Amino acid sequence: MRRLTFAVLASLSLVAGLAACGDTGKAAAPQTSASASAGTTTTSTTSAALARPLTVTRRDIVVEDTSRPTAADPGRGLAEKPSRTLPVMLLTPTGDGPFPIMVFSHGVTGTGPAYQGFLEPIAAAGYVIIAPTFPLSSGAGGTIPDYVNQPADLFFALDSVIKNATDPADPLFNKLDVAHIALAGHSLGAMTTVGAALNSCCSQARVDAAILLSGIEVAFPNGDFANRTPVPLLLAHGTADTTIPVDGSDKLFAAATGPTAFVKFPGGSHTGILAGDDGKLLQKAVVAWLDRWLRDDPSGFAALPAAIDTSGIANLTTKGL
């Protein structure tokens, strides 16, 4: 693992409670019978909130980045490895496509598949979702410091899927709209997305939008936020979040330099905003944001303020829109 700077360690102190809280994404647990093992399962999503449900297929692959190592984790008895291995959950809507892409990063002790229940209705709106499972922050005993390496992980997973899809035998052949890409994440995954979308260490011009759920800005080595990219940001946070306080998103909103929307859930918890009525409303907001920036379709976002106001469970604040 890269040597952490003092600034990174200071940032980590703000989120040290993450590991203790066991951010497994349980509120977003799969709502279908899809297996977590490698293979293909097909499920039908019929959420009325999305108005255009498509059948979604889940496929699991494994990609390996041989150019970067994985540090040892003595606490879990894990030896150092010369490469980084990433299981990747792919959620693909039916149809000819091509479909825009969203890369989703999980929280600490979570996995990509742990969020399938939350992500599947978004895929059913016409988006291919790439959800990697990171090597050290995932699973029981997952740790936080390796987040500094996770922006490179998510881009490697993205590039691997895109490369595989050039093969006519790959199920994603001709299904990826590689010109329209969004990054999203929850908790530690939102921190990862902040680095990948906004920090000079890692940001790439091909990112069209970012979605930060229960997130906070933290430092990354070899980069800063001095020239913050104006990537369109959708933020969501619960005011009763005791893992990452809501002021993490308040500060992200204040510092944003591009079009930004903030869905705030009064009384919402860290993972609770991903489930129940909160989760359905948040799915609607995510799809509206993706439509606005990846499909150039503003209609869903134009209708979002009224939907949020009618719901009575959230508030919407925007700037630059």
Side-chain angles (χ1 to χ4, degrees):
M1 185 186 305
R2 304 174 195 170
R3 183 177 180 84
L4 297 180
T5 64
F6 175 80
V8 173
L9 290 171
S11 297
L12 284 173
S13 69
L14 297 175
V15 292
L18 280 171
C21 290
D23 178 19
T24 62
K26 288 182 180 178
Q31 299 168 356
T32 73
S33 60
S35 169
S37 61
T40 300
T41 57
T42 302
T43 57
S44 179
T45 302
T46 56
S47 172
L50 294 173
R52 52 175 170 185
L54 300 170
T55 299
V56 174
T57 297
R58 170 178 166 179
R59 184 164 60 101
D60 295 87
I61 64 172
V62 176
V63 299
E64 182 180 13
D65 184 352
T66 59
S67 69
R68 297 180 301 127
T70 303
D73 185 348
R76 287 192 286 175
L78 300 177
E80 182 178 359
K81 297 181 180 179
S83 61
R84 293 180 69 84
T85 300
L86 303 167
V88 180
M89 179 181 71
L90 301 172
L91 299 178
T92 307
T94 56
D96 294 332
F99 299 109
I101 300 167
M102 184 177 85
V103 185
F104 184 86
S105 298
H106 64 77
V108 67
T109 74
T111 63
Y115 291 81
Q116 182 177 348
F118 177 75
L119 295 173
E120 196 166 62
I122 299 168
Y127 294 93
V128 170
I129 295 179
I130 300 171
T133 293
F134 302 113
L136 293 181
S137 67
S138 60
T143 55
I144 294 173
D146 197 50
Y147 82 86
V148 297
N149 296 308
Q150 291 183 176
D153 288 338
L154 73 83
F155 283 124
F156 181 81
L158 170 64
D159 288 335
S160 296
V161 172
I162 291 173
K163 181 179 179 180
N164 290 347
T166 62
D167 182 349
D170 190 89
L172 286 175
F173 181 68
N174 282 340
K175 285 186 175 289
L176 298 181
D177 179 359
V178 299
H180 295 95
I181 296 169
L183 305 181
H186 174 245
S187 190
L188 190 70
M191 292 161 52
T192 299
T193 303
V194 166
L198 301 175
N199 193 282
S200 62
C201 73
C202 318
S203 61
Q204 299 185 7
R206 58 176 165 165
V207 175
D208 298 299
I211 299 165
L212 309 175
L213 311 178
S214 305
I216 189 171
E217 181 178 303
V218 293
F220 284 82
N222 305 317
D224 56 48
F225 295 98
N227 296 301
R228 194 178 301 261
T229 56
V231 175
L233 295 179
L234 174 66
L235 310 172
H237 217 125
T239 62
D241 190 332
T242 57
T243 304
I244 298 179
V246 68
D247 67 356
S249 289
D250 289 334
K251 292 175 181 177
L252 282 164
F253 182 85
T257 58
T260 309
F262 185 3
V263 182
K264 186 178 290 189
F265 293 87
S269 65
H270 188 63
T271 57
I273 65 170
L274 304 176
D277 290 340
D278 287 4
K280 291 176 182 178
L281 184 63
L282 183 52
Q283 287 164 343
K284 187 179 185 71
V286 169
V287 171
W289 197 249
L290 295 174
D291 285 352
R292 172 65 182 85
W293 301 107
L294 274 61
R295 295 186 180 276
D296 196 25
D297 177 2
S299 59
F301 189 75
L304 189 62
I308 289 178
D309 184 61
T310 300
S311 75
I313 60 175
N315 303 309
L316 177 66
T317 306
T318 66
K319 71 176 186 179
L321 290 163

